[in-house]
Amino acid sequence: QVQLVESGGGLVQAGGSLRLSCAASGRTFSRSAMGWFRQAPGKEREFVAAISWSGTSTYYADSVKGRFTISREYAADTVHLQMNSLKPEDTAVYYCASDARRFSNGQTMGGPDPEIRSWGQGTQVTVSS
């Protein structure tokens, strides 16, 4: 079982940037696609971004394309989410997740029925206007 711990959340003004990190423990990190999801108050959790097990493919929600970048560091078993040009509507708790399927490209993490092996505890991101 992969354990995930997020960090890097905080309060930022609109137009600013934050970098989230997710540290993974367990032996399956290098074989798993990884993703970020978020949940705003009163809303359902939604997909934000995913990266394939190989790191060669990335996928983004339309709402964050061109502003957010997902990446991974194999040596540190860590996945990052660089968030630029932040908007108040990006305010949410951000969750890191690992795909339950090995050697996945991560595309299905953005689909209607993602298969998630593990979730992090979440980190709060607040964007003020």
Side-chain angles (χ1 to χ4, degrees), residues 3 21 31-32 41-42 58 63 66 70 73 79 88 98-99 102 111 125:
Q3 292 185 328
S21 295
R31 302 190 292 269
S32 301
T58 56
S63 59
I70 188 170
E73 287 185 69
V79 61
S98 62
D99 196 325
R102 294 183 179 181
V125 171

Side-chain angles (χ1 to χ4, degrees), residues 40-83:
K43 295 187 177 182
E44 293 187 353
R45 191 175 299 186
E46 65 175 4
F47 169 78
V48 175
I51 186 166
S52 64
W53 73 275
S54 63
T56 57
S57 298
T58 56
Y59 305 91
Y60 297 93
D62 288 343
S63 59
V64 307
K65 279 181 183 176
R67 300 189 298 122
F68 291 11
T69 302
I70 188 170
S71 61
R72 62 192 300 166
E73 287 185 69
Y74 291 96
D77 285 352
T78 300
V79 61
H80 303 287
L81 185 68
Q82 178 67 43
M83 305 186 296

Side-chain angles (χ1 to χ4, degrees), residues 1-6 22-29 32-37 45 79 95-101 109 114-122:
Q1 186 79 357
V2 178
Q3 292 185 328
L4 306 172
V5 179
E6 301 98 333
C22 172
S25 63
R27 299 187 297 174
T28 62
F29 175 81
S32 301
M34 300 293 296
W36 288 93
F37 293 74
R45 191 175 299 186
V79 61
Y95 297 90
C96 177
S98 62
D99 196 325
R101 299 173 305 153
M109 296 186 82
E115 297 178 47
I116 304 299
R117 181 184 303 276
S118 299
W119 291 97
Q121 84 288 351

